[in-house]
Coordinates of all heavy atoms in Angstrom, one line a residue:
M100 N -78.0 -56.8 -169.3 CA -76.9 -55.9 -169.1 C -77.0 -55.0 -167.9 O -76.1 -54.7 -167.2 CB -76.8 -55.0 -170.4 CG -75.7 -54.0 -170.4 SD -74.1 -54.9 -170.5 CE -73.0 -53.6 -170.6
K101 N -78.3 -54.6 -167.6 CA -78.5 -53.7 -166.4 C -78.1 -54.5 -165.1 O -77.4 -53.8 -164.2 CB -80.0 -53.4 -166.3 CG -80.3 -52.4 -165.2 CD -81.7 -52.0 -165.1 CE -81.9 -51.0 -164.0 NZ -83.4 -50.7 -163.8
N102 N -78.4 -55.8 -165.0 CA -78.0 -56.5 -163.8 C -76.5 -56.6 -163.7 O -75.9 -56.6 -162.6 CB -78.6 -57.9 -163.8 CG -80.1 -57.8 -163.4 OD1 -80.5 -56.8 -162.8 ND2 -80.8 -58.8 -163.8
Q103 N -75.9 -56.8 -164.8 CA -74.4 -56.9 -164.9 C -73.7 -55.6 -164.4 O -72.8 -55.7 -163.6 CB -73.9 -57.3 -166.3 CG -72.4 -57.4 -166.4 CD -71.9 -57.7 -167.8 OE1 -72.7 -57.8 -168.7 NE2 -70.6 -57.8 -167.9
V104 N -74.2 -54.5 -164.9 CA -73.6 -53.2 -164.5 C -73.9 -53.0 -163.0 O -73.0 -52.6 -162.3 CB -74.2 -52.1 -165.4 CG1 -73.8 -50.7 -164.8 CG2 -73.8 -52.2 -166.8
N105 N -75.1 -53.3 -162.6 CA -75.4 -53.1 -161.1 C -74.5 -54.0 -160.3 O -74.0 -53.6 -159.2 CB -76.9 -53.5 -160.9 CG -77.4 -53.0 -159.6 OD1 -76.8 -52.1 -159.0 ND2 -78.5 -53.6 -159.1
T106 N -74.2 -55.2 -160.8 CA -73.3 -56.1 -160.0 C -71.9 -55.5 -160.0 O -71.2 -55.6 -159.0 CB -73.3 -57.5 -160.7 OG1 -74.6 -58.0 -160.7 CG2 -72.4 -58.4 -160.0
I107 N -71.4 -55.0 -161.1 CA -70.1 -54.4 -161.1 C -70.0 -53.2 -160.1 O -69.0 -53.2 -159.4 CB -69.8 -53.8 -162.6 CG1 -69.6 -55.0 -163.5 CG2 -68.5 -52.9 -162.5 CD1 -69.5 -54.6 -165.0
Y108 N -71.0 -52.4 -160.0 CA -71.0 -51.3 -159.0 C -71.0 -51.9 -157.6 O -70.4 -51.3 -156.7 CB -72.1 -50.3 -159.3 CG -71.8 -49.4 -160.4 CD1 -72.2 -49.8 -161.7 CD2 -71.0 -48.3 -160.3 CE1 -71.9 -48.9 -162.8 CE2 -70.7 -47.5 -161.4 CZ -71.2 -47.8 -162.6 OH -70.9 -47.0 -163.7
K109 N -71.8 -52.9 -157.4 CA -71.9 -53.5 -156.1 C -70.5 -54.2 -155.7 O -70.1 -54.0 -154.5 CB -72.9 -54.6 -156.0 CG -74.4 -54.1 -156.1 CD -74.8 -53.6 -154.7 CE -76.3 -53.2 -154.8 NZ -76.6 -52.2 -153.8
Q110 N -69.9 -54.8 -156.7 CA -68.6 -55.4 -156.4 C -67.5 -54.3 -156.1 O -66.7 -54.5 -155.2 CB -68.1 -56.2 -157.6 CG -68.9 -57.5 -157.7 CD -68.5 -58.3 -159.0 OE1 -68.0 -57.7 -159.9 NE2 -68.8 -59.5 -159.0
A111 N -67.6 -53.2 -156.8 CA -66.7 -52.1 -156.5 C -66.9 -51.5 -155.1 O -66.0 -51.2 -154.4 CB -66.8 -51.0 -157.6
E112 N -68.2 -51.5 -154.8 CA -68.5 -51.0 -153.4 C -67.9 -51.9 -152.3 O -67.4 -51.5 -151.3 CB -70.1 -50.9 -153.3 CG -70.6 -50.2 -152.1 CD -72.1 -50.1 -152.1 OE1 -72.6 -49.5 -153.1 OE2 -72.7 -50.7 -151.3
R113 N -68.1 -53.2 -152.5 CA -67.6 -54.2 -151.6 C -66.0 -54.2 -151.6 O -65.4 -54.3 -150.5 CB -68.0 -55.6 -151.9 CG -69.5 -55.9 -151.5 CD -69.8 -57.4 -151.6 NE -69.6 -57.9 -152.9 CZ -70.6 -58.2 -153.8 NH1 -71.8 -58.0 -153.4 NH2 -70.3 -58.7 -155.0
F114 N -65.4 -54.0 -152.7 CA -64.0 -53.9 -152.8 C -63.5 -52.7 -152.0 O -62.5 -52.7 -151.3 CB -63.6 -53.9 -154.3 CG -62.1 -54.0 -154.5 CD1 -61.3 -54.8 -153.7 CD2 -61.5 -53.4 -155.6 CE1 -60.0 -55.0 -154.0 CE2 -60.2 -53.5 -155.8 CZ -59.4 -54.4 -155.0
A115 N -64.2 -51.5 -152.2 CA -63.8 -50.4 -151.4 C -63.9 -50.6 -149.9 O -63.0 -50.1 -149.2 CB -64.7 -49.2 -151.9
E116 N -65.0 -51.3 -149.5 CA -65.1 -51.6 -148.1 C -63.9 -52.5 -147.6 O -63.4 -52.2 -146.5 CB -66.4 -52.4 -147.8 CG -67.6 -51.4 -148.0 CD -67.7 -50.2 -147.1 OE1 -67.3 -50.4 -145.9 OE2 -68.0 -49.1 -147.6
I117 N -63.5 -53.4 -148.4 CA -62.3 -54.2 -148.0 C -61.1 -53.4 -147.8 O -60.3 -53.5 -146.9 CB -62.1 -55.4 -149.0 CG1 -63.2 -56.4 -149.0 CG2 -60.7 -56.0 -148.8 CD1 -63.3 -57.4 -150.1
T118 N -60.9 -52.5 -148.8 CA -59.8 -51.6 -148.7 C -59.8 -50.7 -147.5 O -58.8 -50.5 -146.8 CB -59.7 -50.7 -150.0 OG1 -59.7 -51.6 -151.2 CG2 -58.4 -49.9 -150.0
K119 N -61.0 -50.1 -147.2 CA -61.1 -49.2 -146.1 C -60.9 -50.0 -144.8 O -60.2 -49.5 -143.8 CB -62.5 -48.6 -146.1 CG -62.6 -47.6 -147.2 CD -63.9 -46.7 -147.2 CE -65.1 -47.5 -147.5 NZ -66.3 -46.7 -147.7
K120 N -61.4 -51.2 -144.7 CA -61.2 -52.0 -143.5 C -59.7 -52.3 -143.3 O -59.2 -52.4 -142.2 CB -62.0 -53.3 -143.5 CG -63.4 -53.1 -143.3 CD -64.2 -54.4 -143.3 CE -65.7 -54.1 -143.2 NZ -66.5 -55.2 -143.4
S121 N -59.0 -52.5 -144.4 CA -57.5 -52.8 -144.3 C -56.8 -51.5 -143.7 O -55.9 -51.7 -142.9 CB -57.0 -53.1 -145.7 OG -57.5 -54.3 -146.2
I122 N -57.2 -50.4 -144.2 CA -56.6 -49.1 -143.7 C -56.9 -48.9 -142.2 O -56.0 -48.6 -141.4 CB -57.1 -47.9 -144.5 CG1 -56.6 -48.0 -146.0 CG2 -56.6 -46.6 -143.9 CD1 -57.3 -47.1 -146.9
I123 N -58.2 -49.2 -141.8 CA -58.6 -49.0 -140.4 C -57.8 -49.9 -139.5 O -57.3 -49.5 -138.5 CB -60.1 -49.3 -140.2 CG1 -60.9 -48.2 -140.9 CG2 -60.5 -49.5 -138.8 CD1 -62.4 -48.5 -141.0
S124 N -57.6 -51.2 -140.0 CA -56.9 -52.1 -139.2 C -55.4 -51.9 -139.2 O -54.6 -52.7 -138.5 CB -57.2 -53.6 -139.6 OG -56.7 -53.9 -140.8
G125 N -54.9 -51.0 -140.0 CA -53.5 -50.8 -140.1 C -52.7 -51.7 -141.1 O -51.5 -51.7 -141.1
N126 N -53.5 -52.5 -141.8 CA -52.9 -53.4 -142.8 C -52.6 -52.6 -144.1 O -53.3 -52.9 -145.1 CB -53.8 -54.6 -143.0 CG -53.1 -55.8 -143.7 OD1 -52.0 -55.6 -144.3 ND2 -53.7 -56.9 -143.6
I127 N -51.6 -51.8 -144.1 CA -51.3 -50.9 -145.2 C -50.8 -51.8 -146.4 O -51.2 -51.4 -147.6 CB -50.3 -49.8 -144.9 CG1 -50.9 -49.0 -143.7 CG2 -50.0 -49.0 -146.0 CD1 -52.2 -48.4 -143.9
V128 N -50.1 -52.8 -146.2 CA -49.7 -53.7 -147.3 C -50.9 -54.2 -148.1 O -50.9 -54.2 -149.3 CB -48.8 -54.9 -146.7 CG1 -48.5 -55.9 -147.8 CG2 -47.5 -54.3 -146.1
R129 N -51.9 -54.7 -147.3 CA -53.1 -55.2 -148.0 C -53.8 -54.1 -148.7 O -54.3 -54.3 -149.8 CB -54.0 -55.9 -147.0 CG -55.2 -56.5 -147.7 CD -56.1 -57.3 -146.7 NE -57.2 -58.0 -147.4 CZ -58.3 -58.4 -146.8 NH1 -58.4 -58.2 -145.6 NH2 -59.2 -59.0 -147.6
A130 N -53.9 -52.9 -148.1 CA -54.6 -51.8 -148.7 C -53.9 -51.4 -150.0 O -54.6 -51.2 -151.1 CB -54.6 -50.6 -147.7
K131 N -52.6 -51.4 -150.0 CA -51.9 -51.1 -151.3 C -52.1 -52.1 -152.3 O -52.1 -51.8 -153.5 CB -50.3 -51.0 -150.9 CG -50.0 -49.7 -150.3 CD -48.5 -49.5 -150.1 CE -48.0 -48.2 -149.6 NZ -46.6 -48.0 -149.6
K132 N -52.2 -53.4 -151.9 CA -52.5 -54.5 -152.9 C -53.8 -54.2 -153.5 O -54.0 -54.4 -154.7 CB -52.4 -55.8 -152.3 CG -51.0 -56.3 -152.0 CD -50.9 -57.7 -151.4 CE -49.5 -58.1 -151.1 NZ -49.4 -59.4 -150.4
C133 N -54.8 -53.9 -152.7 CA -56.1 -53.6 -153.2 C -56.1 -52.4 -154.1 O -56.8 -52.5 -155.2 CB -57.1 -53.3 -152.0 SG -57.5 -54.7 -151.0
L134 N -55.4 -51.4 -153.8 CA -55.3 -50.2 -154.7 C -54.7 -50.5 -156.0 O -55.0 -50.1 -157.0 CB -54.6 -49.1 -153.9 CG -55.5 -48.4 -152.8 CD1 -54.6 -47.7 -151.8 CD2 -56.5 -47.5 -153.4
A135 N -53.6 -51.4 -155.9 CA -52.9 -51.8 -157.1 C -53.8 -52.6 -158.0 O -53.8 -52.4 -159.2 CB -51.7 -52.6 -156.8
L136 N -54.6 -53.5 -157.4 CA -55.6 -54.3 -158.2 C -56.6 -53.4 -158.8 O -57.0 -53.5 -160.0 CB -56.2 -55.3 -157.3 CG -57.3 -56.2 -158.0 CD1 -56.8 -56.9 -159.3 CD2 -57.9 -57.2 -157.1
A137 N -57.1 -52.4 -158.1 CA -58.1 -51.5 -158.6 C -57.5 -50.7 -159.8 O -58.2 -50.4 -160.8 CB -58.6 -50.5 -157.5
E138 N -56.2 -50.3 -159.7 CA -55.6 -49.6 -160.8 C -55.5 -50.5 -162.0 O -55.8 -50.1 -163.1 CB -54.2 -49.1 -160.4 CG -53.5 -48.5 -161.6 CD -52.5 -47.5 -161.2 OE1 -51.9 -47.6 -160.1 OE2 -52.2 -46.6 -162.0
R139 N -55.2 -51.8 -161.8 CA -55.1 -52.7 -163.0 C -56.5 -52.8 -163.6 O -56.6 -52.8 -164.9 CB -54.6 -54.1 -162.6 CG -53.1 -54.1 -162.4 CD -52.5 -55.6 -162.4 NE -53.1 -56.4 -161.5 CZ -52.7 -56.6 -160.2 NH1 -51.7 -56.0 -159.7 NH2 -53.3 -57.5 -159.4
L140 N -57.5 -52.9 -162.8 CA -58.8 -53.0 -163.3 C -59.3 -51.7 -164.1 O -59.9 -51.8 -165.1 CB -59.9 -53.3 -162.2 CG -59.8 -54.7 -161.6 CD1 -60.6 -54.7 -160.3 CD2 -60.2 -55.8 -162.6
F141 N -58.8 -50.6 -163.6 CA -59.2 -49.3 -164.2 C -58.5 -49.2 -165.5 O -59.0 -48.7 -166.5 CB -58.8 -48.2 -163.2 CG -59.1 -46.8 -163.8 CD1 -60.5 -46.4 -163.7 CD2 -58.2 -46.0 -164.3 CE1 -60.8 -45.1 -164.2 CE2 -58.6 -44.8 -164.8 CZ -59.9 -44.3 -164.8
I142 N -57.2 -49.6 -165.6 CA -56.5 -49.5 -166.8 C -56.9 -50.5 -167.9 O -57.1 -50.1 -169.1 CB -55.0 -49.7 -166.5 CG1 -54.4 -48.5 -165.7 CG2 -54.1 -49.9 -167.8 CD1 -53.0 -48.7 -165.2
S143 N -57.2 -51.7 -167.5 CA -57.4 -52.8 -168.5 C -58.9 -53.2 -168.6 O -59.2 -54.0 -169.4 CB -56.5 -54.0 -168.2 OG -56.9 -54.5 -167.0
G144 N -59.7 -52.7 -167.7 CA -61.1 -53.1 -167.7 C -62.0 -52.5 -168.8 O -61.6 -51.6 -169.6
S145 N -63.2 -53.0 -168.9 CA -64.2 -52.5 -169.8 C -64.6 -51.1 -169.4 O -64.3 -50.7 -168.3 CB -65.5 -53.4 -169.8 OG -66.1 -53.3 -168.5
I146 N -65.4 -50.5 -170.2 CA -65.9 -49.1 -169.8 C -66.7 -49.1 -168.5 O -66.5 -48.3 -167.7 CB -66.8 -48.6 -171.0 CG1 -66.1 -48.5 -172.3 CG2 -67.5 -47.3 -170.6 CD1 -65.3 -47.3 -172.6
E147 N -67.5 -50.2 -168.4 CA -68.3 -50.3 -167.1 C -67.4 -50.5 -165.9 O -67.7 -49.9 -164.9 CB -69.3 -51.5 -167.2 CG -70.4 -51.3 -168.2 CD -70.1 -51.7 -169.7 OE1 -69.0 -52.3 -169.9 OE2 -70.9 -51.4 -170.5
T148 N -66.4 -51.3 -166.1 CA -65.5 -51.5 -165.0 C -64.7 -50.2 -164.6 O -64.6 -49.9 -163.5 CB -64.4 -52.6 -165.3 OG1 -65.1 -53.8 -165.6 CG2 -63.5 -52.9 -164.2
K149 N -64.3 -49.5 -165.6 CA -63.6 -48.2 -165.4 C -64.5 -47.3 -164.7 O -64.1 -46.6 -163.7 CB -63.1 -47.6 -166.7 CG -61.9 -48.4 -167.3 CD -61.5 -47.8 -168.6 CE -60.4 -48.7 -169.2 NZ -59.8 -48.1 -170.3
N150 N -65.8 -47.2 -165.1 CA -66.7 -46.3 -164.4 C -66.9 -46.7 -163.0 O -67.0 -45.9 -162.1 CB -68.0 -46.3 -165.2 CG -68.0 -45.5 -166.5 OD1 -67.1 -44.6 -166.6 ND2 -68.8 -45.8 -167.4
A151 N -67.1 -48.0 -162.8 CA -67.3 -48.5 -161.4 C -66.1 -48.2 -160.5 O -66.3 -47.7 -159.4 CB -67.6 -50.0 -161.4
I152 N -64.9 -48.4 -161.0 CA -63.7 -48.1 -160.2 C -63.6 -46.6 -159.9 O -63.4 -46.2 -158.8 CB -62.4 -48.6 -161.0 CG1 -62.4 -50.1 -161.0 CG2 -61.2 -48.1 -160.2 CD1 -62.4 -50.9 -159.7
S153 N -63.9 -45.8 -160.9 CA -63.8 -44.3 -160.8 C -64.9 -43.8 -159.8 O -64.6 -43.1 -158.9 CB -63.8 -43.7 -162.1 OG -63.9 -42.2 -161.9
N154 N -66.1 -44.1 -160.2 CA -67.3 -43.5 -159.5 C -67.6 -44.1 -158.2 O -68.2 -43.4 -157.3 CB -68.5 -43.6 -160.4 CG -68.3 -42.8 -161.7 OD1 -67.6 -41.8 -161.7 ND2 -69.0 -43.2 -162.8
V155 N -67.3 -45.4 -158.0 CA -67.6 -46.0 -156.7 C -66.3 -46.2 -155.8 O -66.2 -45.7 -154.8 CB -68.3 -47.4 -156.9 CG1 -68.6 -48.1 -155.6 CG2 -69.6 -47.2 -157.7
Y156 N -65.4 -47.0 -156.4 CA -64.2 -47.3 -155.6 C -63.3 -46.1 -155.2 O -63.1 -45.9 -154.0 CB -63.4 -48.4 -156.4 CG -62.2 -48.8 -155.6 CD1 -62.3 -49.8 -154.7 CD2 -61.0 -48.3 -155.8 CE1 -61.2 -50.3 -153.9 CE2 -59.8 -48.7 -155.0 CZ -60.0 -49.7 -154.1 OH -58.9 -50.1 -153.4
V157 N -62.9 -45.4 -156.2 CA -62.0 -44.2 -155.9 C -62.7 -43.2 -155.1 O -62.2 -42.7 -154.1 CB -61.5 -43.6 -157.3 CG1 -60.7 -42.3 -156.9 CG2 -60.5 -44.5 -158.0
F158 N -64.0 -42.9 -155.4 CA -64.7 -41.9 -154.7 C -64.9 -42.4 -153.2 O -64.7 -41.6 -152.3 CB -66.1 -41.7 -155.3 CG -67.0 -40.7 -154.5 CD1 -66.8 -39.4 -154.6 CD2 -67.9 -41.2 -153.6 CE1 -67.5 -38.4 -153.9 CE2 -68.7 -40.3 -152.9 CZ -68.5 -38.9 -153.1
S159 N -65.3 -43.6 -153.0 CA -65.5 -44.1 -151.6 C -64.2 -44.1 -150.8 O -64.2 -43.6 -149.7 CB -66.1 -45.5 -151.7 OG -66.3 -46.1 -150.4
V160 N -63.1 -44.7 -151.4 CA -61.9 -44.8 -150.6 C -61.2 -43.4 -150.4 O -60.8 -43.1 -149.2 CB -60.9 -45.7 -151.3 CG1 -59.5 -45.7 -150.7 CG2 -61.4 -47.1 -151.4
S161 N -61.2 -42.5 -151.4 CA -60.7 -41.2 -151.2 C -61.5 -40.4 -150.2 O -60.9 -39.7 -149.4 CB -60.5 -40.5 -152.5 OG -61.7 -40.3 -153.1
S162 N -62.8 -40.5 -150.3 CA -63.6 -39.7 -149.3 C -63.4 -40.2 -147.9 O -63.2 -39.4 -147.0 CB -65.1 -40.0 -149.6 OG -65.5 -39.4 -150.9
F163 N -63.3 -41.5 -147.7 CA -63.0 -42.1 -146.4 C -61.6 -41.6 -145.9 O -61.5 -41.2 -144.7 CB -63.0 -43.6 -146.5 CG -62.3 -44.3 -145.4 CD1 -63.0 -44.6 -144.2 CD2 -61.0 -44.8 -145.6 CE1 -62.4 -45.3 -143.2 CE2 -60.4 -45.5 -144.5 CZ -61.0 -45.7 -143.3
M164 N -60.6 -41.6 -146.8 CA -59.3 -41.2 -146.3 C -59.3 -39.7 -146.0 O -58.6 -39.3 -145.1 CB -58.3 -41.6 -147.4 CG -58.1 -43.1 -147.5 SD -57.1 -43.6 -148.9 CE -55.5 -43.2 -148.3
E165 N -60.0 -38.9 -146.7 CA -60.0 -37.5 -146.4 C -60.7 -37.2 -145.1 O -60.2 -36.4 -144.3 CB -60.7 -36.7 -147.5 CG -59.8 -36.5 -148.7 CD -60.2 -35.6 -149.7 OE1 -61.2 -34.8 -149.4 OE2 -59.7 -35.5 -150.8
I166 N -61.8 -37.9 -144.8 CA -62.5 -37.7 -143.6 C -61.6 -38.1 -142.4 O -61.6 -37.4 -141.4 CB -63.8 -38.6 -143.5 CG1 -64.8 -38.0 -144.5 CG2 -64.4 -38.7 -142.1 CD1 -66.0 -38.8 -144.8
R167 N -60.8 -39.1 -142.6 CA -59.9 -39.6 -141.5 C -58.5 -38.9 -141.6 O -57.6 -39.2 -140.8 CB -59.7 -41.1 -141.6 CG -61.0 -41.8 -141.3 CD -60.7 -43.2 -140.9 NE -62.0 -43.8 -140.5 CZ -62.2 -44.4 -139.4 NH1 -61.2 -44.5 -138.5 NH2 -63.3 -45.0 -139.1
H168 N -58.4 -37.9 -142.5 CA -57.2 -37.1 -142.6 C -55.9 -38.0 -142.9 O -54.9 -37.8 -142.4 CB -56.9 -36.3 -141.4 CG -58.1 -35.4 -141.1 ND1 -58.4 -34.3 -141.9 CD2 -59.0 -35.4 -140.0 CE1 -59.5 -33.7 -141.4 NE2 -59.8 -34.3 -140.2
C169 N -56.2 -39.0 -143.8 CA -55.1 -39.8 -144.2 C -54.4 -39.2 -145.5 O -55.1 -38.6 -146.3 CB -55.5 -41.2 -144.7 SG -56.3 -42.2 -143.4
N170 N -53.1 -39.3 -145.6 CA -52.4 -38.8 -146.7 C -52.4 -39.8 -147.8 O -51.9 -40.9 -147.7 CB -50.9 -38.5 -146.3 CG -50.2 -37.9 -147.5 OD1 -50.6 -37.7 -148.6 ND2 -48.9 -37.6 -147.2
I171 N -53.2 -39.4 -148.9 CA -53.4 -40.4 -150.0 C -52.2 -40.5 -151.0 O -52.1 -41.4 -151.8 CB -54.7 -40.2 -150.8 CG1 -54.6 -38.8 -151.5 CG2 -55.9 -40.3 -149.9 CD1 -55.2 -38.9 -152.8
S172 N -51.4 -39.4 -151.0 CA -50.4 -39.4 -152.0 C -49.4 -40.6 -152.1 O -49.0 -41.0 -153.2 CB -49.5 -38.1 -151.9 OG -48.9 -38.1 -150.6
H173 N -49.1 -41.2 -151.0 CA -48.2 -42.3 -151.0 C -48.9 -43.7 -151.2 O -48.3 -44.7 -151.5 CB -47.3 -42.3 -149.8 CG -48.0 -42.7 -148.5 ND1 -48.9 -41.7 -147.9 CD2 -48.1 -43.8 -147.8 CE1 -49.4 -42.3 -146.8 NE2 -49.0 -43.6 -146.7
L174 N -50.3 -43.7 -151.0 CA -51.0 -44.9 -151.1 C -51.6 -45.2 -152.5 O -51.5 -46.3 -153.0 CB -52.2 -44.9 -150.1 CG -51.8 -45.1 -148.6 CD1 -53.1 -45.1 -147.8 CD2 -51.1 -46.5 -148.4
F175 N -52.1 -44.2 -153.1 CA -52.8 -44.3 -154.4 C -51.8 -44.5 -155.5 O -50.8 -43.8 -155.6 CB -53.6 -43.1 -154.7 CG -55.1 -43.2 -154.3 CD1 -55.4 -43.2 -152.9 CD2 -56.1 -43.3 -155.2 CE1 -56.7 -43.3 -152.5 CE2 -57.4 -43.4 -154.8 CZ -57.7 -43.4 -153.4
P176 N -52.0 -45.5 -156.4 CA -51.1 -45.7 -157.6 C -51.4 -44.5 -158.5 O -52.4 -43.8 -158.4 CB -51.6 -47.0 -158.2 CG -52.4 -47.7 -157.1 CD -52.9 -46.6 -156.2
Q177 N -50.5 -44.3 -159.4 CA -50.4 -43.1 -160.3 C -51.8 -42.9 -161.0 O -52.3 -41.7 -161.0 CB -49.3 -43.2 -161.2 CG -49.1 -42.0 -162.1 CD -47.9 -42.1 -163.0 OE1 -47.2 -43.1 -163.0 NE2 -47.7 -41.0 -163.8
T178 N -52.3 -43.9 -161.7 CA -53.5 -43.7 -162.4 C -54.7 -43.3 -161.6 O -55.5 -42.5 -161.9 CB -53.8 -44.9 -163.3 OG1 -52.7 -45.2 -164.1 CG2 -55.0 -44.7 -164.3
L179 N -54.9 -44.0 -160.5 CA -56.0 -43.8 -159.5 C -55.8 -42.4 -158.9 O -56.8 -41.7 -158.7 CB -56.1 -44.9 -158.5 CG -56.5 -46.2 -158.9 CD1 -56.7 -47.2 -157.7 CD2 -57.8 -46.2 -159.7
K180 N -54.6 -42.0 -158.6 CA -54.4 -40.7 -158.0 C -54.8 -39.6 -159.0 O -55.4 -38.7 -158.6 CB -52.9 -40.6 -157.7 CG -52.6 -39.4 -156.9 CD -51.1 -39.4 -156.4 CE -50.7 -38.2 -155.7 NZ -49.3 -38.3 -155.3
A181 N -54.5 -39.8 -160.3 CA -54.9 -38.9 -161.3 C -56.4 -38.8 -161.4 O -57.0 -37.7 -161.5 CB -54.3 -39.2 -162.6
E182 N -57.1 -40.0 -161.3 CA -58.5 -40.0 -161.3 C -59.1 -39.3 -160.1 O -60.1 -38.6 -160.2 CB -59.0 -41.5 -161.3 CG -60.4 -41.6 -161.6 CD -60.9 -41.1 -163.0 OE1 -60.1 -41.0 -163.9 OE2 -62.0 -40.7 -163.1
Y183 N -58.5 -39.5 -158.9 CA -58.9 -38.8 -157.7 C -58.8 -37.3 -157.9 O -59.7 -36.5 -157.5 CB -58.0 -39.3 -156.5 CG -58.1 -38.4 -155.3 CD1 -59.2 -38.3 -154.5 CD2 -57.0 -37.5 -155.0 CE1 -59.2 -37.5 -153.4 CE2 -57.0 -36.7 -154.0 CZ -58.1 -36.7 -153.1 OH -58.2 -35.9 -152.0
I184 N -57.7 -36.8 -158.4 CA -57.4 -35.4 -158.6 C -58.5 -34.8 -159.6 O -59.0 -33.7 -159.4 CB -56.0 -35.1 -159.1 CG1 -55.0 -35.4 -158.0 CG2 -55.9 -33.7 -159.7 CD1 -53.6 -35.5 -158.4
K185 N -58.9 -35.6 -160.6 CA -59.9 -35.2 -161.5 C -61.2 -35.0 -160.8 O -62.0 -34.0 -161.0 CB -60.2 -36.2 -162.6 CG -59.3 -36.0 -163.9 CD -59.9 -36.8 -165.0 CE -59.1 -38.0 -165.3 NZ -59.5 -38.8 -166.4
Q186 N -61.6 -35.9 -159.9 CA -62.8 -35.8 -159.1 C -62.8 -34.6 -158.2 O -63.8 -33.9 -158.1 CB -63.0 -37.1 -158.3 CG -63.4 -38.3 -159.1 CD -63.6 -39.5 -158.2 OE1 -63.6 -39.5 -157.0 NE2 -63.8 -40.7 -158.9
V187 N -61.7 -34.4 -157.5 CA -61.6 -33.2 -156.6 C -61.7 -31.9 -157.4 O -62.5 -31.0 -157.0 CB -60.3 -33.2 -155.9 CG1 -60.0 -31.9 -155.1 CG2 -60.2 -34.4 -154.9
N188 N -61.1 -31.8 -158.6 CA -61.2 -30.6 -159.4 C -62.5 -30.4 -160.0 O -63.1 -29.3 -160.1 CB -60.2 -30.6 -160.5 CG -58.7 -30.5 -160.0 OD1 -58.5 -29.9 -158.9 ND2 -57.7 -30.9 -160.7
A189 N -63.2 -31.5 -160.3 CA -64.6 -31.4 -160.9 C -65.6 -31.0 -159.8 O -66.6 -30.3 -160.1 CB -65.0 -32.7 -161.5
S190 N -65.3 -31.4 -158.6 CA -66.3 -31.0 -157.5 C -66.1 -29.6 -157.0 O -67.0 -29.1 -156.3 CB -66.1 -31.9 -156.3 OG -64.9 -31.7 -155.7
G191 N -65.1 -28.9 -157.4 CA -64.9 -27.5 -157.0 C -64.3 -27.3 -155.6 O -64.4 -26.3 -155.0
V192 N -63.9 -28.4 -155.0 CA -63.4 -28.4 -153.6 C -62.0 -27.8 -153.6 O -61.2 -28.0 -154.4 CB -63.4 -29.8 -153.0 CG1 -62.7 -29.7 -151.6 CG2 -64.8 -30.3 -152.9

């Protein structure tokens, strides 16, 4: 189980990198598709999958977008956006 969870987190990390590269290259359509897929995984996935999407994917992509001063409100699907807001409020930022 430990290797499986580790793999899920690594996959979420790679998926976040793909999303960020799409944003950097200006391929917003692909970035939105990635975000939509991440939302589907977050909604319908196992507890481990939800944790990986929340703790790795959302954190990585939202941090990247904030550093680059991107407006996330129109890119993030509703559920991921709510998860992002939870993270921001929890961090005290």
